């Protein structure tokens, strides 16, 4: 089934994988290079990544998808784990004809990207981790930030989101809290509250910390210097534990991939082109 596409002009489609319908989009590339698969943050549909996709070169094929219970993917019948979701993503990519891809994970999606790289090493050539950490074993955000992340209210209540955005996202959002409406609300296809709860549950008890030395792919860790959700020290720790890790720090906050897309896209593309 095909539906209206995001702002990048790409039609959204759905595919049944392991009995679960998954909404995805593919922006075709124009050159022979490995596609880039984007794993999004918690509570946000693939459409939210439009600004970053638009900043990438047209020659780069880009694949996005909504995890079960988010955006246009319906709720699953049972809860899932990151390992199960990585297997679902692998099957989706197989059916789309991709044998090897590069993976980028933003925030919650960074956990999935790490799991995918560890679990399917031959399918992942390079890894990009943006504004993410190692799960349960990491330097946490302040309690007030974590408390506000427990529910999807910021995705459903624009006025409340504007009030808490500086504390949650930092960076450029501190100077312009109103931009959160364009970044998160104008494009996001909000899913059911249970979908958000399932995403939180998938992270319960999960940590990549012991597995980082076993991730052999070249990995670019991208972190904002003012990220209240994932403090910068986590990125420094991850890049030091990854055998082929390198760190790029930018002057923005947790949503820098969207609010500083024009700055970060060339950095990431240069890494992918090596």
């Amino acid at each position: 089934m095909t539906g209206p596409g995001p702002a990048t002009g790409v039609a959204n489609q759905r595919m049944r994988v392991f009995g679960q319908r998954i909404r995805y989009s593919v922006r075709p590339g124009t050159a022979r290079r490995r596609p880039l698969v984007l794993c999004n943050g918690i509570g946000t549909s693939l459409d939210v990544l439009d600004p970053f996709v638009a900043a990438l070169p047209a020659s780069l094929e880009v694949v996005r998808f909504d995890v079960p219970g988010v955006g246009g993917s319906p709720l699953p019948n049972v809860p899932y784990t990151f390992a199960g979701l990585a297997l679902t993503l692998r099957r989706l990519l197989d059916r789309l004809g991709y044998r090897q891809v590069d993976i980028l994970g933003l925030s919650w999606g960074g956990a999935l990207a790490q799991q995918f790289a560890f679990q399917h090493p031959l399918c992942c050539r390079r890894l990009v981790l943006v504004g993410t950490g190692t799960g349960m074993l990491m330097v946490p955000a302040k309690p007030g930030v974590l408390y506000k992340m427990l529910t999807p209210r910021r995705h459903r209540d624009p006025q409340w989101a504007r009030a808490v955005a500086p504390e949650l996202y930092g960076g450029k959002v501190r100077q312009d809290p109103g931009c959160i409406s364009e970044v998160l609300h104008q494009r996001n296809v909000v899913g059911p509250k249970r979908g958000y709860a399932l995403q939180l549950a998938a992270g319960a008890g999960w940590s990549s910390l012991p597995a980082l030395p076993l991730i052999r792919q070249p990995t670019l860790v991208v972190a904002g210097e003012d990220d209240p959700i994932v403090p910068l020290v986590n990125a420094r720790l991850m890049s030091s534990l990854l055998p082929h890790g390198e760190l790029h720090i930018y002057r923005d906050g947790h949503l820098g991939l969207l609010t500083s897309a024009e700055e970060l896209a060339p950095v990431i593309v240069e890494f992918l082109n090596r």
Side-chain angles (χ1 to χ4, degrees):
M1 184 170 67
T2 303
T8 46
V10 182
N12 296 320
Q13 302 184 58
R14 290 176 175 80
M15 181 185 294
R16 192 171 292 276
V17 182
F18 296 132
Q20 168 73 45
R21 281 196 305 152
I22 299 293
R23 175 184 179 240
Y24 69 96
S25 77
V26 178
R27 188 193 74 171
T30 58
R32 289 192 175 185
R33 55 195 302 179
R34 287 173 181 80
L36 176 63
V37 177
L38 306 182
C39 303
N40 208 353
I42 189 168
T44 50
S45 68
L46 61 86
D47 316 85
V48 171
L49 295 170
D50 278 359
F52 176 65
V53 174
L56 293 171
S59 59
L60 179 61
E61 190 148 311
V62 181
V63 181
R64 291 178 278 172
F65 64 100
D66 287 337
V67 300
V70 174
S73 294
L75 281 166
N77 293 324
V78 295
Y80 56 81
T81 63
F82 278 123
L85 197 54
L87 184 60
T88 298
L89 178 57
R90 172 65 189 273
R91 179 62 66 90
L92 174 68
L93 296 175
D94 283 346
R95 294 186 61 182
L96 290 173
Y98 301 119
R99 298 182 63 184
Q100 190 178 56
V101 298
D102 294 327
I103 297 275
L104 181 152
L106 168 63
S107 193
W108 184 93
L112 174 59
Q114 291 172 71
Q115 180 71 40
F116 187 91
F118 173 75
Q119 190 171 319
H120 304 290
L122 297 181
C123 191
C124 177
R125 187 189 67 119
R126 285 179 177 263
L127 179 63
V128 182
L129 303 173
V130 185
T132 193
T134 53
M136 297 294 289
L137 300 177
M138 63 177 280
V139 178
K142 294 179 179 178
V145 172
L146 293 176
Y147 179 75
K148 294 179 177 64
M149 297 285 291
L150 288 177
T151 75
R153 183 179 177 185
R154 64 193 184 283
H155 297 306
R156 296 170 170 271
D157 184 344
Q159 188 172 359
W160 188 77
R162 180 172 179 162
V164 302
E167 177 188 1
L168 281 183
Y169 301 117
K172 293 180 179 177
V173 179
R174 290 193 193 277
Q175 283 72 49
D176 182 17
C179 75
I180 202 66
S181 177
E182 179 181 354
V183 172
L184 282 188
H185 302 124
Q186 291 183 7
R187 300 182 185 86
N188 195 22
V189 180
V190 178
K193 291 182 180 178
R194 185 172 167 230
Y196 189 90
L198 290 175
Q199 285 189 282
L200 285 178
W206 181 91
S207 178
S208 63
L209 194 61
L212 286 183
L214 304 178
I215 293 178
R216 311 307 298 181
Q217 293 92 340
T219 302
L220 178 64
V221 181
V222 183
E225 64 179 12
D226 178 24
D227 185 342
I229 294 177
V230 183
L232 180 57
V233 62
N234 290 285
R236 297 189 189 280
L237 175 64
M238 294 174 72
S239 60
S240 68
L241 292 176
L242 287 159
H244 306 289
E246 59 184 271
L247 177 62
H248 177 82
I249 300 173
Y250 58 90
R251 301 186 65 181
D252 200 344
H254 189 71
L255 298 178
L257 194 69
L258 307 176
T259 53
S260 297
E262 296 290 339
E263 172 191 339
L264 292 182
V267 174
I268 292 169
V269 169
E270 189 278 327
F271 170 75
L272 297 177
N273 285 343
R274 294 179 198 166

